[in-house]
Amino acid sequence: MSNVTYESAVALTEKYNKDAFHIRHAYTVSEVLRVFAEELGYGDEAEFWAIVGLLHDVDFENWPEQHCVKAPELLKEIDADDRLIHAVCSHGWGICVDIEPVHEMEKVLFACDELTGLIGAAALMRPSKSVSDMELKSLKKKYKDKKFAAGCSRDVIAKGAEHLGWELDTLLDKTLAAMQKAEAVIEAKVAAYAEK
């Protein structure tokens, strides 16, 4: 297991990320990965999965052009080991680095990183502003509409599903369910950050 604690991961994330959008994204991916860990049989590693999710964009706000290249240097500040660094950087595979996701957790991160953004954007369009009442059918409609949340790469999401050996619908369904399960926790963490 990693010697990095969840608290030190929070501190590093918040040191280099101030934008509310990036903070929300970090907590969303973190809690979604925690849910996936439990559901895919890695419950004893759920904290590590959550830490990776929290730190995955640690360098993005300040060094977007060096995304996943600057990260190892920042992660060394909290004595991150090679496994954690590899996990964080592998979500940039084929985009900004050639570090391939190998572990199932890395594949999940790669596949659901962009997708959580798309689901979050879809939630904001709903009267409830929540994922709680979102159905797979309406998510698929948003996914197919290339103009909606255009910054969320469908190619990366599709490649991620393929790399996991999942049907695209399976990835959409599982990620939506994970976001629904984690929504209250994510909102509480975002609210706590806003009060700092």
Side-chain angles (χ1 to χ4, degrees):
M1 291 306 289
S2 173
N3 57 341
V4 172
T5 64
Y6 184 79
E7 290 68 31
S8 64
V10 168
L12 194 72
T13 300
E14 293 182 355
K15 177 177 177 181
Y16 291 110
N17 290 270
K18 305 297 179 196
D19 185 287
F21 177 83
H22 293 147
I23 293 290
R24 173 176 287 278
H25 179 63
Y27 279 121
T28 300
V29 174
S30 177
E31 294 308 318
V32 163
L33 280 184
R34 192 190 295 275
V35 172
F36 268 112
E38 299 287 354
E39 296 191 348
L40 296 174
Y42 298 93
D44 56 339
E45 291 200 353
E47 187 85 343
F48 179 67
W49 285 45
I51 286 168
V52 171
L54 197 58
L55 292 167
H56 81 284
D57 277 349
V58 69
D59 60 2
F60 187 72
E61 189 172 310
N62 290 306
W63 299 275
E65 71 295 337
Q66 288 182 271
H67 186 35
C68 297
V69 177
K70 183 78 174 172
E73 180 190 325
L74 307 181
L75 292 168
K76 288 294 184 192
E77 291 182 30
I78 52 172
D79 294 326
D81 56 20
D82 290 344
R83 180 173 174 234
L84 178 55
I85 292 170
H86 187 279
V88 164
C89 296
S90 69
H91 84 281
W93 178 49
I95 306 161
C96 47
V97 290
D98 59 2
I99 301 163
E100 185 175 347
V102 180
H103 187 280
E104 192 163 17
M105 174 261 291
E106 297 173 341
K107 294 178 184 181
V108 170
L109 171 60
F110 180 87
C112 73
D113 177 25
E114 299 275 318
L115 182 51
T116 60
L118 190 141
I119 294 171
L124 292 177
M125 306 296 291
R126 303 177 72 76
S128 65
K129 301 275 188 256
S130 166
V131 291
S132 61
D133 56 355
M134 191 186 297
E135 292 178 356
L136 179 60
K137 188 175 59 187
S138 68
L139 172 58
K140 283 169 72 171
K141 202 179 286 180
K142 294 287 190 208
Y143 179 87
K144 286 177 181 146
D145 177 1
K146 299 287 193 279
K147 291 191 188 79
F148 178 77
C152 298
S153 170
R154 273 61 167 182
D155 291 344
V156 169
I157 295 167
K159 183 180 174 184
E162 192 183 327
H163 204 53
L164 273 164
W166 295 357
E167 294 291 330
L168 178 62
D169 277 12
T170 303
L171 176 64
L172 295 178
D173 192 34
K174 284 180 179 289
T175 306
L176 174 58
M179 283 183 72
Q180 288 169 335
K181 198 168 182 180
E183 186 169 47
V185 177
I186 294 164
E187 292 306 326
K189 292 191 172 184
V190 169
Y193 173 78
E195 285 169 13
K196 286 184 181 176

